[in-house]
């Protein structure tokens, strides 16, 4: 029987890919590349959008 999981909203800034590695173009002594890990600042590396506080939530008529 399938397990039902609640749908979690994806972060709109990183589209669910919260951590990426960027090469600097330089190499280590062993020949491997120097990489920088960059974390999405909007979701703090979780990949999920946080719910808006009640004061910021859009209100209709």
């Amino acid at each position: 029987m399938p397990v039902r999981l609640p749908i979690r909203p994806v972060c709109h800034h990183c589209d669910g890919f919260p951590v990426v590695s960027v090469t600097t173009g330089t190499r280590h002594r062993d020949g491997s590349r120097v990489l920088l890990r960059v974390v999405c600042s909007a979701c703090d590396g979780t990949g999920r959008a946080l719910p808006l506080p009640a004061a910021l939530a859009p209100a209709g008529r």
Side-chain angles (χ1 to χ4, degrees):
M1 186 166 191
V3 176
R4 305 268 177 181
L5 297 175
I7 298 173
R8 295 185 177 150
V10 176
C11 175
H12 296 287
H13 296 276
C14 64
D15 290 329
F17 296 95
V19 181
V20 295
S21 294
V22 180
T23 182
T24 62
T26 58
R27 295 184 181 262
H28 292 288
R29 290 180 188 235
D30 64 355
S32 61
R33 297 219 180 240
V34 176
L35 298 175
L36 299 174
R37 291 186 64 208
V38 182
V39 178
C40 176
S41 60
C43 65
D44 292 326
T46 62
R48 293 185 221 125
L50 300 174
L52 289 174
L56 299 176
R61 283 186 118 204

